[in-house]
Amino acid sequence: MNAIIFSALSGVAMMFTGIFTTNKSAIRNVAVIALLGLIIVNLLHSYGIFVVRVNTHSMLQFETFGLFFNTLVFAATLLFVLLSGKDVTNAGTYGAEYFALIFFVLCGVSILTCYNSLLMLFIGIEILSIPLYILTGADKRNLKSNEASLKYFLMGSFSTGILLMGITLVYGITGTFSIEAMRPAVSVGAPNYGILEPVGLLFIFIALLFKVSAAPFHFWTPDVYDGAPTVFTSFMATIVKAAGFVSFIRLFDARAIEMGISWKIILPVIIIATLLIGNITAVFQQSVKRMMAYSSIAQAGFMLFAVYVNNDMSKEGILLYTAAYSIATIGIFAILTRMKDITFDGFNGLAKKHPVLAATNAVFLLSLAGIPLTAGFFAKYYMLAAVVKENGAGALWLVIVAVLFAAVSVYYYFRVIQAMYFKEGEPEITEVSGGFKTALVMLAVLIVLIGTFPSALLNWFYF
Amino acid sequence: MNATQIVFWFLSALALVSALMVLLSKNPVHSVLWLITVFFAISGHYILLNAQFLAIVNLIVYAGAIMVLFLFVIMLMNLNKQTEPQKNAWLKMAGAISGGCLLMILISLVKQANEITTKTARMKDGDIGLIGNLGKALFHDYVVPFEISSVLFLSAMVGAVVIGKKD
């Protein structure tokens, strides 16, 4: 509850900052302070200290997993603002308002990590989405940005309609919004609701699959990620996507029994389709930004494993994946915003001219590809290990398919590294400050640290 | 046949006739006006069921806001002509079949629902549509989503200003 209230208040505070000052660095500093405060109040909540006590009537249920995920996401946002805060204020005319919208998104994230009622799921998804439609269209003079925003808005509203239809069906047949009431332990001897509940849940899952851009509901992703200002693409592809997965896991945790055995068939098909479409299409891209959009679809395929199996290991896995994927993607997009030419050729010869940028970018790409000693390796490892732990050798084929696609992903990530190190060229790049380079190096060190000692992050979770 | 029953039959007949007229009138503006009559008749039913708040909201939201929107769209798109483009015969048939299916499902549902055959509508002492109950539910059980939805509206408002303002 601390995080929900404080993030909403921070959003309002950012709006007021916009009234009193137009100084961009002052706005950024206020945002950084608010984010630090957000992390602190969330940690306080984890240790049982509340700013205000609210009787939520079991609409929200706070668990360690959700709270730790909040901390992780807020920390990732802090890194994002420290690294790309300048780009946020420069993306359009309203720097402070963009930060306000980012805080509202965080409010949506903190609802989605602890919702216990389908009503809160709906409100959380909407608070998450609506600011994003606007951030996508932040670059008002750019036609592509406008198109992406409109497309995202129309598709997003449509998927919200499907979500509401699903909630209506589930409510109509069970008479409750609570996902808790349907947990297996509670519902022993509960009446069989027939076909309507699985159909309603199916609609909800379709809407959530849309939000995390899993195939076959991924068609909006490349256009929107490509059209949006790069700095907001970075925010959307990392923090927002991870929140979508956590909401997914919460729902599945509670309701998988009602869905019956069919999910064990449907979900692997969706996972494989997502991996296939994401990876194979990414191979053929010319623009690095668009390649990253497809790669985010491919990574979503891996994150879906945490929905497919639900045990302690998959929960650790999704936490690690969120950390690894967010840090790496934020880093790559931060470098991408500095490039004048965002095709693969634009990276030619970057290593000679800007060795620090090239080296950190290489670390980020290696992490996304899942090479050992980087955080991405353990993220993928935990996901696949969770599948094997749950289903034994029966699910081995799924693991093998996933590893094959991870090998395909190495191809397009290494194309960037190859361009940077082994090709001659004159990369055009806007001026980078020393602070920016330091932040990039910090991110790279963080990735290697998590990749070497993943337990450090996870121990903190159990602490 | 007491007064309540007379009012009920009158409102029901009015609602059905106006609903038919929505479909049958050639002029779209007339259709919209008939639709408003339908909403008034249904609001009348709500009042009979002692649900004053529901009746007023139905009038304000549907007959007021949404119908004005319909009228605007019709007038802006200049659809208020008597002539209608000729529709395909297949299209008409498909419409009749799908509409008929819905009607059949509704009728069979009502016939099968044993719960409602034994109960009668509570005319004067029903309290489900009163504003007091709504307020209690909204500010007690559902206070968290109610308050948090303000964040949703705030962000939408900020967005509208950010997108819409000239710079």
Side-chain angles (χ1 to χ4, degrees), chain A residues 236-437:
Chain A
M236 270 196 282
T238 55
I239 286 142
V240 175
K241 181 170 275 199
F245 274 104
V246 171
S247 67
F248 219 144
I249 290 170
R250 272 194 77 83
L251 193 64
F252 236 87
D253 204 4
R255 295 269 186 157
I257 300 288
E258 280 80 11
M259 288 304 300
I261 198 75
S262 56
W263 271 105
K264 291 286 169 197
I265 303 162
I266 296 175
L267 214 48
V269 173
I270 288 174
I271 291 175
I272 290 174
T274 310
L275 286 170
L276 181 80
I277 290 171
N279 282 308
I280 301 297
T281 329
V283 167
F284 298 107
Q285 299 308 315
Q286 292 308 316
S287 143
V288 174
K289 196 175 173 187
R290 220 173 158 80
M291 181 275 277
M292 286 302 292
Y294 280 104
S295 116
S296 93
I297 298 176
Q299 304 279 355
F302 263 98
M303 284 157 108
L304 273 175
F305 278 119
V307 182
Y308 177 56
V309 289
N310 212 320
N311 52 27
D312 285 348
M313 198 151 193
S314 75
K315 275 190 178 156
E316 289 171 6
I318 192 80
L319 290 173
L320 260 183
Y321 217 110
T322 306
Y325 172 69
S326 299
I327 296 172
T329 310
I330 286 170
I332 292 173
F333 275 113
I335 293 171
L336 209 57
T337 46
R338 299 293 189 279
M339 308 291 293
K340 289 249 169 67
D341 179 7
I342 55 166
T343 59
F344 280 95
D345 293 335
F347 280 84
N348 283 354
L350 188 70
K352 283 220 180 77
K353 218 172 170 192
H354 299 279
V356 179
L357 291 195
T360 49
N361 203 11
V363 172
F364 301 144
L365 289 163
L366 289 177
S367 174
L368 283 186
I371 305 293
L373 272 188
T374 57
F377 170 72
F378 271 107
K380 283 196 169 68
Y381 168 79
Y382 267 76
M383 286 295 179
L384 299 179
V387 176
V388 174
K389 191 180 169 194
E390 180 91 357
N391 296 343
L396 213 56
W397 62 276
L398 199 57
V399 174
I400 291 171
V401 171
V403 170
L404 282 180
F405 280 119
V408 173
S409 77
V410 171
Y411 169 76
Y412 51 83
Y413 291 130
F414 272 54
R415 259 180 80 189
V416 181
I417 299 181
Q418 187 200 19
M420 288 190 303
Y421 280 92
F422 302 112
K423 283 193 180 159
E424 298 294 323
E426 277 297 307
E428 283 181 73
I429 193 163
T430 51
E431 204 51 50
V432 288
S433 62
F436 180 73
K437 282 182 186 165

Side-chain angles (χ1 to χ4, degrees), chain B residues 38-141:
Chain B
V38 177
F39 288 135
F40 268 92
I42 291 174
S43 288
H45 280 122
Y46 285 143
I47 292 176
L48 281 186
L49 291 169
N50 202 19
Q52 296 93 338
F53 178 68
L54 214 54
I56 292 298
V57 165
N58 189 45
L59 279 189
I60 292 172
V61 174
Y62 281 92
I66 293 183
M67 281 304 112
V68 169
L69 202 69
F70 271 31
L71 272 181
F72 267 129
V73 170
I74 286 169
M75 287 175 173
L76 280 178
M77 295 182 72
N78 213 10
L79 294 172
N80 51 342
K81 293 189 192 104
Q82 294 285 347
T83 50
E84 214 181 335
Q86 204 61 42
K87 288 232 173 60
N88 193 339
W90 284 104
L91 212 60
K92 281 182 181 168
M93 203 137 85
I97 290 174
S98 54
C101 285
L102 183 66
L103 184 69
M104 198 176 75
I105 290 172
L106 285 178
I107 288 175
S108 72
L109 267 181
V110 172
K111 281 187 82 168
Q112 279 177 24
N114 297 323
E115 293 92 349
I116 58 171
T117 51
T118 53
K119 285 175 188 159
T120 50
R122 294 164 70 185
M123 285 301 186
K124 293 190 189 70
D125 56 344
D127 59 355
I128 214 151
L130 293 182
I131 194 166
N133 287 322
L134 181 77
K136 270 178 203 149
L138 210 53
F139 288 98
H140 186 261
D141 295 337

Side-chain angles (χ1 to χ4, degrees), chain A residues 4 8 12 15 56-57 59-60 93-94 97-98 101 104 111 119-120 123 126-127 130-131 134 140-141, chain B residues 139-146 148-149 151-152 154-156 158-167:
Chain A
I4 296 174
V12 177
M15 285 160 59
T56 62
H57 296 280
M59 290 276 170
L60 301 171
T93 332
Y94 308 98
E97 278 76 4
Y98 299 147
L101 291 171
F104 289 140
I111 293 169
L119 266 182
M120 297 309 293
I123 291 179
E126 281 307 285
I127 296 181
I130 286 183
I134 296 136
K140 272 196 267 182
R141 307 220 176 279
Chain B
F139 288 98
H140 186 261
D141 295 337
Y142 294 99
V143 66
V144 174
F146 179 74
I148 287 181
S149 56
V151 180
L152 179 63
L154 187 60
S155 60
V158 173
V161 172
V162 166
I163 290 272
K165 207 172 147 199
K166 244 184 195 170
D167 49 17

